[in-house]
Amino acid sequence: MSNTSEKLQKVLARAGLGSRREMETAIADGRVRVNGQVATLGDRIEPHDRVALDERPVTLRSAEEVPRRVIMYNKPEGELCTRKDPEGRRTVFDRLPRLKGERWIAIGRLDINTSGLLLFTTDGELANRLMHPATQIEREYAVRVMGEVTKGQIKAMAEGVMLDDGPARFTDVQEFGGEGINTWFHVVIMEGRNREVRRLWESQNLTVSRLKRVRYGNIFLDKRTKAGEWIELGQDEIDDLAAQAGLESRRVPELTPDEKNRWSRDKNKRRPVQGVRKPKAPRNRGH
């Protein structure tokens, strides 16, 4: 096998078509062709190969050619971490700035009832590295818990609990005030398994009533973004993320005048909240 060959899903993700997991699904569904032949999982390709997704040719790029942009989004409760929802519910992608010839790739997910920090990038390799369990990126959450929390319960969650999909633990638990059913904690986990924070608390017969992600790696959710807003990260913040992922620094490209105008419009767009109007009661017209 040539030293220049790479896994097909890695090359597709780098082309900005989605995450590696999404590209693996596309390959498994028979939507990808290499040199005219339907691709299969495990295929590796060379730079000169012809690749198509859904019958559309894919422009192959080296890692150095991929623009590395990252935006931070403050997700409100009620939004889905999916590109399209069959039921027409709002997704996190609805408010993001539009890209030309590229796609935003979500770095991790939050469930519909969880709010807070989400990162999106154009660099598929950066996204994959930051999500991979081996990279050991800290995720910090603010949690409001219903019920009295004992030191024994906190100790159990810090030492490790066996969940349905294997052992899990908080690497840090700090109480942040409140009383009774309004007690707030900050907790840290090192991976992004489905509903892991909620399930850890549930293992102690405690219910999470509010959950908000406040940090991913070195990026903190701050006052730059209110709920439903995004901001583009600067060179230093992106370089720190890349370093945590074991990647070299790469210059963040400046927006073109057209992109600046488009991003400015996208940043200011807001969906109006449609109020439910009650039908007017019929007037009683007496004679």
Side-chain angles (χ1 to χ4, degrees), residues 88-255:
R89 291 172 294 180
R90 183 177 293 173
T91 81
V92 295
F93 290 92
D94 289 343
R95 291 191 195 267
L96 302 189
R98 290 163 292 167
L99 291 167
K100 210 168 186 178
E102 295 176 289
R103 300 178 87 184
W104 290 116
I105 300 167
I107 300 174
R109 300 164 67 90
L110 295 174
D111 68 39
I112 190 170
N113 295 318
T114 302
S115 63
L117 188 153
L118 266 177
L119 296 175
F120 296 85
T121 182
T122 53
D123 185 349
E125 183 62 20
L126 177 65
N128 185 68
R129 293 273 191 103
L130 289 173
M131 287 187 285
H132 201 283
T135 311
Q136 293 286 287
I137 299 291
E138 290 188 343
R139 291 101 158 145
E140 183 176 344
Y141 293 80
V143 189
R144 189 175 72 187
V145 182
M146 292 182 65
E148 294 295 332
V149 181
T150 67
K151 289 182 180 179
Q153 290 169 319
I154 291 176
K155 185 181 179 202
M157 292 185 290
E159 291 181 347
V161 173
M162 184 60 69
L163 302 178
D164 292 343
D165 53 355
R169 62 184 285 263
F170 293 135
T171 58
D172 191 29
V173 183
Q174 300 288 336
E175 188 168 345
F176 260 69
E179 295 179 357
I181 63 171
N182 287 318
T183 307
W184 282 88
F185 294 84
H186 275 224
V187 299
V188 175
I189 57 174
M190 304 295 286
E191 52 186 350
R193 283 148 62 183
N194 185 40
R195 297 186 70 255
E196 186 174 359
V197 174
R198 293 181 189 274
R199 289 187 293 142
L200 269 164
W201 287 99
E202 287 166 1
S203 74
Q204 306 302 305
N205 296 314
L206 295 164
T207 301
V208 172
S209 59
R210 290 284 303 280
L211 184 60
K212 182 176 187 176
R213 184 153 68 195
V214 295
R215 178 168 65 90
Y216 196 103
N218 63 302
I219 306 299
F220 288 82
L221 187 68
D222 54 34
K223 295 179 181 179
R224 290 180 292 175
T225 55
K226 297 177 182 177
E229 294 182 350
W230 55 266
I231 189 170
E232 185 175 19
L233 298 187
Q235 185 76 56
D236 290 346
E237 291 173 304
I238 295 176
D239 285 349
D240 284 346
L241 273 176
Q244 289 186 75
L247 295 173
E248 295 290 326
S249 171
R250 194 184 305 158
R251 189 179 66 81
V252 177
E254 291 186 16
L255 294 174

Side-chain angles (χ1 to χ4, degrees), residues 21-52:
R21 186 175 297 177
E22 288 171 329
M23 293 302 96
E24 287 172 356
T25 301
I27 295 168
D29 291 344
R31 296 165 51 204
V32 181
R33 289 179 176 268
V34 177
N35 299 324
Q37 303 296 315
V38 176
T40 57
L41 279 173
D43 283 356
R44 299 178 70 91
I45 62 170
E46 302 277 353
H48 55 76
D49 285 328
R50 292 177 291 106
V51 180

